[in-house]
């Protein structure tokens, strides 16, 4: 009887270990992106930290930088991919179409949600000071 329980316990532990490894391997967060402005003078600077590719959405994590104690406004964001462009559905860190101000550090952390997408090549922002486009690519 004890030998049977040990087999069941070992089997349960093996299944749990396999599920843990499979879930970690299926994680859709990709870190280490390189961000570069597409133009000479952009109204905002944005650096992508990571992108979370989920089943229902693509979430871009990054840093918006600007001059401390100045304001700006982001009216919308667009994710550019080889298969099409995707308009943002939500943003955290600031609100769309509302002015915000950079504090002493001049950095605002953003999370931007887009419909499910693959292989993003750039992210664009429409601001009150014009349009910005930031090229993004996985780090080599």
């Amino acid at each position: 009887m004890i030998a049977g329980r040990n087999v069941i316990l070992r089997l349960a532990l093996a299944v749990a270990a396999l599920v843990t490894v499979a879930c970690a391997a299926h994680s859709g967060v990709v870190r280490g992106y390189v961000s570069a402005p597409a133009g000479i003078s952009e109204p905002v600077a944005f650096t992508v930290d990571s992108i979370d590719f989920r089943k229902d959405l693509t979430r871009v994590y990054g840093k918006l930088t600007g001059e401390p104690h100045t304001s700006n406004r982001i009216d919308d964001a667009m994710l550019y991919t080889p298969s099409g462009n995707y308009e943002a559905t939500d943003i955290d860190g600031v609100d769309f179409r509302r002015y915000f101000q950079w504090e002493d550090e001049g950095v605002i952390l953003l999370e931007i949600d887009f419909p499910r997408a693959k292989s993003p090549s750039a992210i664009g922002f429409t601001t009150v000071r014009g349009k910005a486009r930031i090229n993004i690519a996985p780090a080599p």
Side-chain angles (χ1 to χ4, degrees):
M1 193 69 155
I2 292 176
R5 286 185 181 165
N6 284 341
V7 169
I8 292 173
L9 180 60
R10 286 183 184 165
L11 182 60
L13 288 173
V15 168
L18 285 172
V19 167
T20 301
V21 169
C23 288
H26 190 265
S27 175
V29 177
V30 178
R31 296 183 189 336
Y33 274 83
V34 177
S35 307
I40 295 171
S41 176
E42 301 289 350
V44 294
F46 184 72
T47 305
V48 174
D49 292 330
S50 62
I51 301 177
D52 188 359
F53 297 97
R54 299 182 183 183
K55 287 190 294 187
D56 57 339
L57 62 88
T58 298
R59 178 169 288 163
V60 176
Y61 296 92
K63 294 180 184 117
L64 189 66
T65 55
E67 185 70 29
H69 309 293
T70 62
S71 63
N72 205 333
R73 189 178 82 202
I74 295 176
D75 292 338
D76 62 48
M78 184 76 68
L79 190 66
Y80 299 94
T81 74
S83 61
N85 304 334
Y86 300 91
E87 191 171 338
T89 57
D90 190 25
I91 190 169
D92 288 326
V94 299
D95 294 324
F96 284 129
R97 293 174 285 287
R98 295 189 83 165
Y99 279 93
F100 60 88
Q101 179 173 327
W102 278 280
E103 298 300 329
D104 294 335
E105 302 81 26
V107 175
I108 298 173
L109 300 178
L110 292 184
E111 297 177 9
I112 309 167
D113 292 346
F114 297 93
R116 188 172 182 218
K118 293 182 181 180
S119 306
S121 59
I123 187 166
F125 297 98
T126 301
T127 76
V128 293
R129 293 183 174 84
K131 292 187 179 266
R133 185 168 172 149
I134 293 87
N135 293 328
I136 56 176

